[in-house]
Amino acid sequence: MVEPLNIALAGLGTVGGGVVRLIETNAELIARRARRPIRIAAVSARDRMKDRGVDLSRYDWVDDTADLAARSDVDVVVEMVGGSDGPALALARHAIAGGKGLVTANKAMIAHHGLELAAAAEAAGVALKFEAAVAGGIPVIKGLSEGAAANAIERVYGILNGTCNYILSTMEDTGRDFADVLADAQRLGYAEADPTFDIEGIDAAHKLSILAGIAFGSRLRFDAVETMGISRVKAADIEQARALGYVIRLIGMAGTDMTDGTCRLFQRVRPHLVPIDHPLAHVDGATNAVVAEGNFMGRLLFQGAGAGDGPTASAVVADIIDIARGEKGAAFSMPAGELEEMEPAQTGHRITSSYIRFTVPDRPGVLADITAAMRDAGVSIESLIQKGDPDQDGEVILAVVTHPGPESAVNEAMRILDGSDSLAARPLVMQIIGA
């Protein structure tokens, strides 16, 4: 009789409970595909008495999560505690050091400590898997590391945070402003009580750094991801984008840059204007989508549920099945020691069109000041639109779309205007995808 693969679950929140339900519901199917049964040997979480909607009485309860790594009846530890450091990292290190495979949904821990854990897993001869850490149930890590393994990836980009996508697409559908939609997202459970990691782009930056490491064979550089969130996007921006033939999405984008003859890594998370005929323009709600462009395969689109107990648990259990089959492999598609140290790319030379939203006092001379700054910086204006009548503060919104040009020119225009009494607020600059 084939021996089961014994696993221990650390963290029994939404995803952890989903993993238990999935393994119990599809036990026979999973055993056939894994070629051996998957058995939950032990579980651990902070609150033993909490009702999680699943019967845990048949499993050993361990009060101290760290003790899971020392159990002799456990082959794989599944970490769903969360957090880049603290108990999650301690458990990961102890599990690998104890010769146990590690499966995690923890994107922050992988973004900050993935290289260390990958090297340790290789040295110990155990598996490190983290498909669920990026884009929930979408098999984008497997798709890049296996399906696209023969390709030189030229660019990877996409919608990596469901909370932001829900907020932006709801603003688009309803015309409501950011703060109003965020409050609804929190009430409905789409956003955390403290939504900072989501709305300021940090969560998406964690995921992007992981994708970049796999796509380009580079050492992870989360600290080099240029990050801006969506908290400054107004309903007026959504409306202007629609009038111009675009939607606004928070996009994580990474690629290699050879401008100065050295291969550097470009990584950026920020809201972009996306043409209405682009595949990402039609990704609504809490859905995630990732586009990868390879030199032989062309464009691939991965799309699906980016969060939730079912989709994320599906990715976790898929990793467990791989380990049950004996599939270890390198966590980042090649040995950790062979990943290339790539310096961050400079972005000023990048040629893009930009959307710039100015909030200005309604008085003569303002438009002349703005256009003079753009002229002096070498920015060519394609269109300029004034949004409606002055508000109660006597301010109006001007939206400018530039012709394609170096980003450094737009940055210089913003520097010239910094502190000008022709501006009532800091301008918002968003690049336009495909321009």
Side-chain angles (χ1 to χ4, degrees):
M1 185 175 180
V2 179
E3 289 292 320
L5 182 79
N6 295 312
I7 67 171
L9 303 180
L12 293 168
T14 300
V15 177
V19 170
V20 174
R21 283 189 290 274
L22 177 54
I23 290 175
E24 290 180 346
T25 302
N26 290 352
E28 182 180 347
L29 177 64
I30 289 169
R32 288 166 55 200
R33 289 178 173 167
R35 299 192 287 273
R36 59 195 293 198
I38 306 297
R39 171 180 170 268
I40 300 173
V43 297
S44 180
R46 282 180 296 184
D47 183 357
R48 186 169 187 165
M49 304 308 295
K50 181 178 178 180
D51 182 5
R52 296 174 170 85
V54 61
D55 181 11
L56 299 173
S57 62
R58 72 192 75 183
Y59 311 122
D60 285 356
W61 183 279
V62 177
D63 289 316
D64 187 347
T65 298
D67 291 341
L68 295 176
R71 289 181 64 111
S72 60
D73 63 341
V74 169
D75 304 306
V76 175
V77 171
V78 181
E79 184 278 313
M80 292 169 291
V81 175
S84 61
D85 299 290
L89 181 59
L91 176 62
R93 287 169 170 166
H94 291 151
I96 291 171
K100 304 183 190 310
L102 179 69
V103 174
T104 180
N106 190 336
K107 79 280 276 180
M109 183 176 72
I110 295 299
H112 288 279
H113 303 287
L115 294 178
E116 171 206 331
L117 296 176
E122 291 166 18
V126 299
L128 169 63
K129 302 280 188 178
F130 45 84
E131 181 69 66
V134 178
I138 308 172
V140 63
I141 290 177
K142 187 181 288 286
L144 288 175
S145 59
E146 297 180 15
N151 281 255
I153 304 299
E154 296 161 350
R155 187 167 66 148
V156 59
Y157 60 102
I159 296 168
L160 302 174
N161 183 271
T163 299
C164 288
N165 207 54
Y166 171 82
I167 291 171
L168 290 172
S169 58
T170 301
M171 290 171 66
E172 184 181 304
D173 292 340
T174 64
R176 294 154 61 200
D177 230 324
F178 173 81
D180 187 26
V181 177
L182 171 60
D184 264 6
Q186 290 172 310
R187 180 177 55 81
L188 294 169
Y190 290 118
E192 301 287 345
D194 179 359
T196 303
F197 263 44
D198 291 319
I199 65 173
E200 298 304 335
I202 300 168
D203 175 81
H206 283 144
K207 297 170 183 175
L208 182 68
S209 66
I210 295 168
L211 288 178
I214 294 168
F216 307 113
S218 60
R219 296 179 67 82
L220 273 65
R221 288 291 306 272
F222 168 73
D223 63 323
V225 182
E226 178 188 321
T227 306
M228 183 177 83
I230 66 168
S231 58
R232 296 183 59 222
V233 176
K234 295 178 178 289
D237 298 315
I238 303 279
E239 183 180 340
Q240 296 289 16
R242 179 188 287 116
L244 294 165
Y246 300 95
V247 298
I248 297 176
R249 297 287 184 265
L250 183 73
I251 303 292
M253 183 179 297
T256 53
D257 188 302
M258 293 288 295
T259 301
D260 63 358
T262 300
C263 189
R264 299 180 184 273
L265 183 61
F266 166 73
Q267 299 180 94
R268 172 183 283 168
V269 171
R270 65 187 309 164
H272 287 71
L273 271 67
V274 180
I276 196 65
D277 59 353
H278 192 284
L280 295 183
H282 304 284
V283 178
D284 296 324
T287 304
N288 283 190
V290 177
V291 177
E293 298 174 355
N295 63 337
F296 274 74
M297 70 187 184
R299 176 190 284 178
L300 294 181
L301 173 65
F302 303 87
Q303 181 175 336
D309 57 344
T312 309
S314 177
V316 169
V317 177
D319 279 346
I320 296 170
I321 290 171
D322 277 352
I323 295 174
R325 292 169 174 166
E327 298 172 10
K328 296 177 183 177
F332 293 97
S333 77
M334 61 180 66
E338 296 180 16
L339 295 172
E340 187 177 357
E341 185 70 64
M342 298 174 68
E343 290 300 313
Q346 301 300 311
T347 59
H349 64 275
R350 293 179 65 84
I351 305 299
T352 61
S353 289
S354 297
Y355 166 97
I356 310 170
R357 183 245 292 152
F358 297 98
T359 305
V360 302
D362 184 32
R363 61 171 175 77
V366 166
L367 183 57
D369 288 346
I370 290 173
T371 55
M374 304 283 271
R375 177 202 63 211
D376 293 346
V379 178
S380 175
I381 297 174
E382 178 182 292
S383 61
L384 188 152
I385 308 167
Q386 177 174 324
K387 167 62 178 169
D389 297 322
D391 63 17
Q392 61 184 8
D393 297 319
E395 297 170 355
V396 295
I397 288 178
L398 295 177
V400 171
V401 175
T402 72
H403 285 290
E407 291 186 12
S408 59
V410 172
N411 295 338
E412 174 62 11
M414 298 304 99
R415 188 196 66 77
I416 293 171
L417 287 166
D418 187 35
S420 169
D421 61 5
S422 290
L423 299 184
R426 182 163 56 101
L428 175 66
V429 179
M430 294 185 283
Q431 277 75 42
I432 299 177
I433 290 283

